[in-house]
């Protein structure tokens, strides 16, 4: 059961935050989040990390239920399934993808166990076809932070289209349905 939200700017758009709450379908104060800031490697990128974490706290997720993971160790399948959500911050996409591949973090086990993945910028792009050895969750090239995004609605990804999303949009993958929401 795949539940993914791929964004440019996280939950800046409160309707996207509401969609997350709907997908997660449990009290927010009970949610456990694996928070991955790894892509933020420059000084400017690191300044955004506290804002990303704060938007989770602002959704009533308890700070003590947010565990920071920076690919500093291997997480096994049983541990990853203890989380309800994985939130992956933006930054350097290639660096993030390399860490995912080196550490072999198994998102399939997590998603099959009912977890929800939230990607922000680079955290979204690593799931698309932009780079070699990508995580291959969506058959398209994904461009984030665009002034003009694709039209809202269902997306046919069979021919590997290029999808543009604004900071106010997200790609929602729920089961086999893929759509742009706003």
């Amino acid at each position: 059961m795949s539940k993914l939200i791929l964004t440019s700017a996280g939950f800046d758009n409160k309707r996207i935050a509401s969609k997350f709450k709907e997908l997660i379908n449990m009290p927010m104060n009970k949610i456990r989040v694996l928070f991955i800031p790894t892509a933020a490697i420059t000084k400017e990128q690191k300044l955004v990390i506290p804002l990303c974490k704060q938007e989770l706290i602002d959704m009533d997720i308890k700070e003590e239920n947010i565990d920071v993971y920076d690919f500093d160790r291997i997480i096994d399948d049983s541990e990853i399934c203890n989380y309800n959500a994985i939130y992956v911050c933006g930054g350097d996409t290639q660096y993030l993808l390399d860490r995912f591949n080196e550490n072999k973090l198994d998102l399939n086990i997590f998603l099959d166990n009912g977890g929800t993945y939230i990607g922000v910028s680079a955290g979204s792009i690593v799931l698309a076809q932009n780079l070699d050895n990508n995580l291959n969750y969506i058959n398209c090239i994904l461009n984030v932070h665009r002034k003009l995004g694709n039209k809202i609605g269902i997306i046919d990804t069979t021919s590997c289209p290029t999808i543009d999303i604004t900071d106010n949009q997200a790609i929602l993958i729920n089961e086999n349905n893929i759509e742009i929401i706003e």
Side-chain angles (χ1 to χ4, degrees):
M1 172 187 243
S2 295
K3 297 184 290 187
L4 303 100
I5 300 174
L6 309 181
T7 75
S8 291
F11 296 132
D12 284 358
N13 178 339
K14 298 310 173 206
R15 289 185 303 266
I16 295 171
S18 292
K19 184 54 83 171
F20 167 70
K21 289 178 180 180
E22 181 183 313
L23 280 178
I24 206 94
N25 194 27
M26 64 185 288
M28 296 307 284
N29 64 354
K30 302 286 186 202
I31 293 172
R32 294 201 59 226
V33 178
L34 187 64
F35 184 81
I36 303 177
T38 304
I41 58 175
T42 68
K43 184 178 176 181
E44 295 80 21
Q45 292 166 344
K46 288 179 181 185
L47 291 174
V48 180
I49 293 171
L51 302 174
C52 292
K53 191 173 182 185
Q54 187 61 48
E55 71 182 9
L56 294 171
I57 294 166
D58 290 346
M59 292 173 59
D60 296 327
I61 297 173
K62 292 182 178 179
E63 188 167 7
E64 61 267 20
N65 289 350
I66 302 171
D67 294 334
V68 176
Y69 175 62
D70 203 16
F71 291 100
D72 48 346
R73 62 186 175 82
I74 302 294
I75 289 185
D76 66 27
D77 296 347
S78 63
E79 184 179 356
I80 199 169
C81 290
N82 287 325
Y83 294 96
N84 309 103
I86 294 176
Y87 184 107
V88 183
C89 298
D92 185 303
T93 306
Q94 185 65 61
Y95 183 80
L96 176 62
L97 181 59
D98 290 346
R99 299 301 78 74
F100 261 105
N101 288 328
E102 287 169 8
N103 285 275
K104 297 178 177 45
L105 185 67
D106 194 343
L107 291 180
N108 287 328
I109 295 288
F110 169 75
L111 293 168
D112 289 346
N113 198 53
T116 301
Y117 179 98
I118 304 101
V120 179
S121 194
S124 296
I125 294 170
V126 295
L127 296 168
Q129 301 298 313
N130 298 49
L131 300 170
D132 290 338
N133 299 316
N134 64 75
L135 301 181
N136 199 31
Y137 280 86
I138 185 167
N139 187 35
C140 66
I141 303 295
L142 177 58
N143 297 314
V144 296
H145 305 296
R146 298 297 188 200
K147 287 188 182 210
L148 294 173
N150 284 56
K151 177 175 87 166
I152 294 172
I154 301 295
I155 304 167
D156 178 6
T157 62
T158 55
S159 64
C160 191
T162 296
I163 299 173
D164 295 330
I165 60 173
T166 68
D167 287 353
N168 206 37
Q169 293 178 315
I171 296 174
L172 173 65
I173 303 171
N174 190 4
E175 297 296 326
N176 294 324
N177 296 320
I178 301 172
E179 65 181 308
I180 294 180
I181 61 172
E182 191 171 75

